Amino acid sequence: MAKNRMEKSHKIMLLIAAVFVVVFVAVVINDHIQFQNHAEEIGGVLKDSAPAKMQAAWFTIVCVRFTEFMVPALCIGGAAIIMHIRENRKPSARKKQNWD
């Protein structure tokens, strides 16, 4: 029985996607720390430190970071998985009959 081994290019693509995820987590943690340290200044710029406005500001930061890091990670990782699946799927019964 042949094992479906992943090609080196697919492994590299998945590694790049994993690096994007790790960087995303690190950047969001750093942003959260900085956001908490500068909450008073942010509230002053917003003219109001209402919880809803502060949550909206934080949500905006997370959305931007998600777009910067997670969208490429999902695209690259998804492409690698799709290529691996397409290369390793079993041929259909119709194609087997044509080869015989």
Side-chain angles (χ1 to χ4, degrees):
M1 181 175 251
K3 292 185 180 181
N4 293 336
R5 299 197 61 147
M6 193 171 282
E7 289 186 23
K8 190 172 184 174
S9 62
H10 300 161
K11 289 180 184 179
I12 291 171
M13 289 173 71
L14 289 174
L15 179 66
I16 291 169
V19 168
F20 270 116
V21 171
V22 170
V23 171
F24 169 75
V25 170
V27 168
V28 168
I29 290 171
N30 182 45
D31 285 344
H32 181 68
I33 292 168
Q34 295 300 319
F35 188 83
Q36 294 300 321
N37 290 341
H38 300 290
E40 290 179 15
E41 294 173 28
I42 295 168
V45 170
L46 294 173
K47 308 271 194 261
D48 187 9
S49 59
K53 287 189 177 183
M54 295 297 280
Q55 288 174 355
W58 174 245
F59 183 73
T60 302
I61 293 170
V62 172
C63 286
V64 168
R65 296 303 187 195
F66 185 86
T67 304
E68 289 176 342
F69 296 108
M70 292 301 292
V71 170
L74 292 172
C75 291
I76 294 170
I81 291 171
I82 290 170
M83 289 188 315
H84 175 70
I85 290 170
R86 289 191 70 180
E87 290 175 2
N88 292 305
R89 67 180 166 188
K90 293 180 182 177
S92 66
R94 246 188 297 167
K95 288 185 180 179
K96 282 184 182 178
Q97 291 174 356
N98 291 340
W99 288 101
D100 290 337

